[in-house]
Amino acid sequence: KAGVTQTPRYLIKTRGQQVTLSCSPISGHRSVSWYQQTPGQGLQFLFEYFSETQRNKGNFPGRFSGRQFSNSRSEMNVSTLELGDSALYLCASSLAGISNYGYTFGSGTRLTVV
Amino acid sequence: GQQLNQSPQSMFIQEGEDVSMNCTSSSIFNTWLWYKQDPGEGPVLLIALYKAGELTSNGRLTAQFGITRKDSFLNISASIPSDVGIYFCAGLLASGGSNYKLTFGKGTLLTVNP
């Protein structure tokens, strides 16, 4: 069965622009979580969506937002990009939440802000 | 907030050697997870631990959930070149319903010399 698919794999944006990243979870998975990974901070939790509702949220500014569609696909949006937003953004899906044997991660979207 | 201290930060070993890494926290967790991340990919779940004192194996990998619920270790026996990657621990604290917090360690970079 197909894994978690994230698009695009690589992205270069300019400061001040906005960006939208996409994540298609494993078929049947209803929970989608987003993480930011940087060398200095490691993996930082952004938010989690379940059945189109944001269920948990990390400590990121309001420039970071997301949504989930009825087919469980999720998008993450970052507005007014800053240089510090350069990171690997990872999406992870699970059947109903973290309690189900953890997540399955996608390969990530590498965002570079110049 | 919760902090996970993962050590060592990096390891350089010879093929065939055993490896041990651990994570400690000042807070207790309900679940410990161990992931491996290859370059350019998302983390892949290796082992999940759900009970204090639990010892679980997955091939050459063995992990334990500490009795105090504040620590966990991962051992890799007879290392091979494909063990190269970054290993992350993650602690989950579920506080009822859909409220949970998953915290990742900063990772251990493992290099195996053939």
Side-chain angles (χ1 to χ4, degrees):
Chain A
K1 90 184 170 182
V4 178
T5 303
Q6 290 188 247
T7 58
R9 284 298 304 271
Y10 302 93
L11 205 49
I12 300 176
K13 289 286 188 178
T14 305
R15 268 183 306 176
Q17 287 187 312
Q18 74 159 10
V19 67
T20 299
L21 313 181
S22 178
C23 172
S24 293
I26 290 173
S27 178
H29 283 194
R30 297 167 63 192
S31 167
V32 174
S33 296
W34 289 88
Y35 286 82
Q36 181 194 66
Q37 185 177 28
T38 59
Q41 298 299 317
L43 279 153
Q44 301 284 314
F45 173 69
L46 281 155
F47 28 66
E48 184 222 2
Y49 285 87
F50 181 80
S51 293
E52 302 178 66
T53 301
Q54 188 180 87
R55 192 162 69 169
N56 288 288
K57 189 176 188 303
N59 298 321
F60 276 80
R63 300 185 297 109
F64 292 81
S65 63
R67 58 178 176 168
Q68 186 180 34
F69 302 95
S70 58
N71 61 359
S72 293
R73 189 178 71 86
S74 178
E75 287 182 347
M76 192 192 94
N77 184 274
V78 188
S79 62
T80 320
L81 284 165
E82 301 176 359
L83 294 179
D85 296 333
S86 295
L88 179 66
Y89 289 89
L90 291 161
C91 157
S93 77
S94 70
L95 275 172
I98 183 60
S99 61
N100 291 285
Y101 306 103
Y103 297 125
T104 300
F105 280 87
S107 297
T109 294
R110 172 76 60 186
L111 172 65
T112 302
V113 182
V114 297
Chain B
Q2 293 163 321
Q3 298 284 331
L4 277 187
N5 299 308
Q6 185 172 351
S7 63
Q9 278 189 309
S10 62
M11 301 181 75
F12 298 84
I13 62 171
Q14 293 296 125
E15 182 177 359
E17 289 183 355
D18 296 343
V19 171
S20 185
M21 58 193 79
N22 70 84
C23 276
T24 60
S25 171
S26 57
S27 306
I28 63 171
F29 289 108
N30 303 120
T31 300
W32 282 94
L33 306 167
W34 284 93
Y35 287 86
K36 182 195 177 198
Q37 186 174 25
D38 292 325
E41 299 297 328
V44 173
L45 182 65
L46 298 173
I47 291 179
L49 302 157
Y50 300 101
K51 292 191 302 187
E54 180 181 353
L55 183 70
T56 297
S57 293
N58 178 6
R60 293 179 297 106
L61 277 60
T62 301
Q64 184 159 30
F65 192 145
I67 289 291
T68 65
R69 295 170 63 191
K70 294 182 180 180
D71 63 304
S72 177
F73 72 75
L74 173 70
N75 287 342
I76 305 173
S77 63
S79 59
I80 59 178
S82 62
D83 289 335
V84 165
I86 303 176
Y87 291 80
F88 292 97
C89 63
L92 169 71
L93 181 62
S95 54
S98 62
N99 294 316
Y100 64 84
K101 183 175 174 62
L102 185 64
T103 305
F104 281 86
K106 293 288 178 69
T108 295
L109 173 60
L110 179 62
T111 303
V112 180
N113 296 318

